[in-house]
Amino acid sequence: MKPTTVDTGRAYRRHLGRKRLTLLVLLGILLLACLLSVCAGSAGLGPGQVAAALLGGGTPESRTIVWSVRMPRAATAVGVGFALAMSGCVMQSVLRNPLASASTLGVTQGASFGAAAAIVALGTSAGGSVTAAHPGLVTLSAFLGGMATTAAILLLSRVGGASPSALVLAGVAISSMFTGATALVQYFADDVTVASVVYWTFGSLGRAGWGEIGLIFALCLLAFCYFFWNRWNYNALESGSAAARSLGVRVDALTLASLTVCALAAAAAVAFAGCISFIGLLAPHMVRRFTGSDYRFLIPGSALAGASVLLGADVLSRVVIPPTVLPIGSITAFLGAPVFLSILLKGGRHGCWR
Amino acid sequence: MLEVKSLNFAYRCGRQILEDVSFSVPSGACLAVLGNNGAGKSTLLGCLARLLRPQRGRALVDGEDLLAMSAAQAARTVALVSQFAPASRLTVYDMVLLGRRPYLKWDFTAADRALTEEALERLGLEGLALRYADQLSGGEGQKVQLARALVQQPRLLLLDEPTSSLDLRSQYEVLGLVSQLCREKRLTAVVVLHDLNLALRFCGRFLLLHGGRVYAQGDPSVVTPRAIRDVYGMEAEVRELDGVPVVIPSFSAGGAG
């Protein structure tokens, strides 16, 4: 029987319901990952003790461990995961490039140079802490570094007309340049500062305080609002920029503003947690399998998946060789690089590289 | 009703592509833009779709200047169907719903969805509504683009070689739908076509471009053997078959004429 309009509408609503369910499942996974992250650690607290500490009970010692060590750590992972995954997702849309993300295009490395320069210039905070003296200024400097890279990427893709694969190669060149520049800054710094910068570039979720966590969540909220407001514009861009323009999307303005917000979010993540690569690439591609390229679901879905992956990677980094915490950046790189390669190969086979 | 008045377009530091192009198309009519490669057909369409900015000239849709409109206002006036259907990972339903983007406030309304469902049904796409756009055949993809253009509720419909990647049957189906929709909704359509016979079959008005200038415009009678020789540089006969003019090229391997 030929389906009628009523059936089409109903089928579409069911279809949307399934995609909403996907988001709910992702949210459930994230909550589980949070719990796991708070419970895992070398202090030997059982789930019962953790639960008691969370509710304000338990021993003072367990309360300190849960509230000053594990909770901030989990919250940092969630915030940084949100920021990196959302910015990767939107960069893939506006640059029309499945391999785009803050780390593959060099934005992370640019921000990392900015942060390193600021740490060296401003020094570390008193009391031998690993955090920098002025987190706000470090973030600003990281943002400027990230924006410089974004501007270069934009110039290459627009004016130079670079193809998606050429753009990623350009990202490689830009990241090596910034890595070199970071090394140069370290060369002229004193020992303590160098140690701080080197430790910092490993990427760590353990050094952000509640103030910084608040800042990154505020940035994530702003970025999410902006991205979600433009969700239909990103959907329109999926049909190419000419089609998007004919649907009334101001493509150039959208691209510029989106990349600026992406750079801001990625830079904040880098400033507080160091170089954490591939989350922005990994999360959107995982979610795309379930939601297609519908940015109504892809943006929140990527954010949830990115946070879960980062939490999972963090748990992994703590349980492999306890009580040593492995650098989080290395763990995500091990997870992300195979995905990057698989996208590269798949893209080559289907000939989607223009 | 579309009136184009002395449109001029040149690329920066490049040669003149369109020179003093003027023509008009009444509402409900379908205009075929003909000419050989490099005659400026796609550039003309790009200017009307506001993808390119002409240096001089005006394009009036029902008396309103298209080139002076805001992006959203223009998107409510003109819809574009491109040569290739986009292969995106969005459902057909969402692709068509995107046609309501120029009217979007925060989210699409029930009215937007009703229009989408109506357009899907009108083009026989209900069965494909939840299919991803990259799983469609060429003809189905072009129908999705048409459905999207329809829910845009434009007054001017632009089609850039809409049939060049389609098989024979889909070519007739898609162009048949276009001419039908134009009559039904009193739309003005401008179609860039390479196939003269398809143009003669489905379009009522013709614009022949040659070297960026208007060679001739008017009803099917402007497509004469002389015009084909001047515009395409080859000999052809025009015969009438069941009331439809048919172009029969007489091509010899040695070249034209």
Side-chain angles (χ1 to χ4, degrees):
Chain A
M1 203 185 78
K2 216 173 152 209
T4 63
T5 307
V6 183
D7 288 341
T8 312
R10 195 178 299 147
Y12 181 65
R13 279 194 297 277
R14 260 206 309 277
H15 166 84
L16 289 186
R18 271 198 300 278
K19 291 197 171 171
R20 278 195 205 103
L21 190 66
T22 311
L23 289 189
L24 273 180
V25 169
L26 282 170
L27 183 65
I29 293 174
L30 177 59
L31 291 177
L32 277 179
C34 282
L35 270 180
L36 187 67
S37 167
V38 176
C39 288
S42 51
L45 294 180
Q49 283 162 292
V50 171
L54 276 178
L55 298 171
T59 59
E61 191 193 29
S62 68
R63 272 209 300 278
T64 309
I65 290 175
V66 168
W67 282 102
S68 314
V69 180
R70 292 191 186 172
M71 284 293 282
R73 193 179 182 90
T76 309
V78 171
V80 169
F82 280 170
L84 291 176
M86 278 195 295
S87 65
C89 168
V90 168
M91 282 170 125
Q92 284 162 20
S93 166
V94 295
L95 293 172
R96 313 279 313 115
N97 189 335
L99 288 175
S101 78
S103 54
T104 48
L105 293 181
V107 176
T108 303
Q109 289 77 0
S112 171
F113 165 71
I119 291 176
V120 169
L122 301 168
T124 51
S125 58
S129 161
V130 277
T131 43
H134 306 278
L137 286 175
V138 173
T139 312
L140 187 69
S141 180
F143 171 66
L144 291 179
M147 268 321 287
T149 320
T150 306
I153 295 287
L154 202 61
L155 218 62
L156 281 166
S157 75
R158 280 302 158 91
V159 183
S163 68
S165 39
L167 210 56
V168 173
L169 290 177
V172 172
I174 292 171
S175 353
S176 358
M177 194 187 83
F178 277 118
T179 310
T182 308
L184 206 62
V185 167
Q186 289 171 19
Y187 187 78
F188 290 108
D190 65 71
D191 290 354
V192 181
T193 322
V194 168
S196 160
V197 171
V198 169
Y199 177 68
W200 180 90
T201 38
F202 279 149
S204 164
L205 297 168
R207 58 171 175 252
W210 285 110
E212 285 129 319
I213 291 168
L215 183 57
I216 194 155
F217 270 94
L219 276 174
C220 280
L221 187 68
L222 282 179
F224 179 76
C225 288
Y226 178 75
F227 293 153
F228 200 68
W229 173 264
N230 281 302
R231 63 207 183 281
W232 282 105
N233 292 342
Y234 300 130
N235 279 354
L237 265 181
E238 286 296 300
S239 301
S241 74
R245 250 175 261 257
S246 79
L247 291 168
V249 179
R250 289 160 62 230
V251 174
D252 290 326
L254 177 72
T255 306
L256 197 64
S258 297
L259 286 179
T260 307
V261 177
C262 286
L264 187 61
V270 168
F272 296 141
C275 270
I276 294 176
S277 45
F278 289 121
I279 294 292
L281 185 77
L282 205 61
H285 280 286
M286 280 165 50
V287 180
R288 248 176 241 276
R289 286 179 166 270
F290 303 102
T291 64
S293 295
D294 188 340
Y295 284 82
R296 274 178 298 173
F297 301 103
L298 195 54
I299 294 168
S302 299
L304 294 171
S308 303
V309 169
L310 198 52
L311 276 169
D314 179 48
V315 171
L316 206 63
S317 78
R318 283 184 285 158
V319 300
V320 174
I321 320 172
T324 310
V325 180
L326 300 176
I328 182 73
S330 317
I331 306 275
T332 60
F334 279 129
L335 291 175
V339 175
F340 180 88
L341 290 175
S342 86
I343 298 166
L344 195 65
L345 292 176
K346 228 187 289 171
R349 261 206 305 285
H350 298 319
C352 75
W353 298 108
R354 280 155 298 177
Chain B
M1 167 102 180
L2 169 71
E3 294 163 277
V4 172
K5 291 179 180 167
S6 57
L7 209 61
N8 278 268
F9 180 85
Y11 284 105
R12 234 178 297 163
C13 72
R15 68 193 172 93
Q16 195 79 16
I17 308 289
L18 294 176
E19 234 180 307
D20 212 23
V21 171
S22 302
F23 61 93
S24 69
V25 197
S27 293
C30 186
L31 173 87
V33 181
L34 304 172
N36 57 2
N37 291 333
K41 304 185 298 291
S42 294
T43 307
L44 173 62
L45 218 63
C47 287
L48 293 179
R50 308 210 331 164
L51 302 174
L52 301 170
R53 188 159 269 286
Q55 276 77 23
R56 231 153 34 79
R58 300 206 296 163
L60 305 177
V61 179
D62 296 336
E64 281 178 71
D65 193 352
L66 186 61
L67 304 173
M69 288 178 187
S70 74
Q73 202 185 352
R76 291 192 283 264
T77 310
V78 191
L80 175 70
V81 171
S82 61
Q83 187 173 355
F84 300 105
S88 69
R89 206 127 182 95
L90 280 174
T91 61
V92 167
Y93 194 110
D94 288 325
M95 291 284 280
V96 176
L97 192 56
L98 265 175
R100 300 302 295 168
R101 160 67 186 73
Y103 303 85
L104 179 70
K105 297 281 186 278
W106 162 248
D107 206 352
F108 291 119
T109 61
D112 292 329
R113 285 195 296 276
L115 272 170
T116 299
E117 284 154 28
E118 193 188 308
L120 285 170
E121 200 169 4
R122 177 71 185 76
L123 296 186
L125 293 166
E126 319 91 299
L128 301 174
L130 297 183
R131 196 82 72 79
Y132 281 126
D134 60 0
Q135 299 167 332
L136 300 179
S137 72
E140 288 164 349
Q142 292 304 58
K143 282 195 227 163
V144 171
Q145 285 207 72
L146 263 182
R148 185 185 69 199
L150 211 57
V151 303
Q152 235 172 310
Q153 297 184 317
R155 279 171 284 166
L156 175 63
L157 183 60
L158 304 173
L159 302 101
D160 189 6
E161 301 182 33
T163 56
S164 62
S165 61
L166 302 186
D167 58 45
L168 196 60
R169 189 197 143 93
S170 305
Q171 289 180 7
Y172 276 78
E173 219 178 310
V174 166
L175 283 180
L177 278 166
V178 170
S179 68
Q180 218 177 356
L181 291 172
C182 282
R183 278 197 306 273
E184 244 173 60
K185 314 261 174 192
R186 302 295 296 160
L187 278 172
T188 307
V190 175
V191 193
V192 170
L193 277 175
H194 272 303
D195 190 323
L196 283 174
N197 286 321
L198 275 178
L200 286 164
R201 177 79 176 248
F202 291 108
C203 299
R205 309 277 303 172
F206 295 83
L207 176 71
L208 276 70
L209 287 179
H210 185 55
R213 291 171 161 277
V214 176
Y215 175 87
Q217 61 160 318
D219 59 9
S221 67
V222 301
V223 184
T224 59
R226 196 199 139 105
I228 294 170
R229 182 169 59 230
D230 290 346
V231 169
Y232 289 97
M234 74 182 282
E235 299 294 330
E237 281 181 66
V238 181
R239 297 241 184 96
E240 195 134 317
L241 198 70
D242 295 335
V244 180
V246 176
V247 173
I248 304 159
S250 49
F251 183 77
S252 59

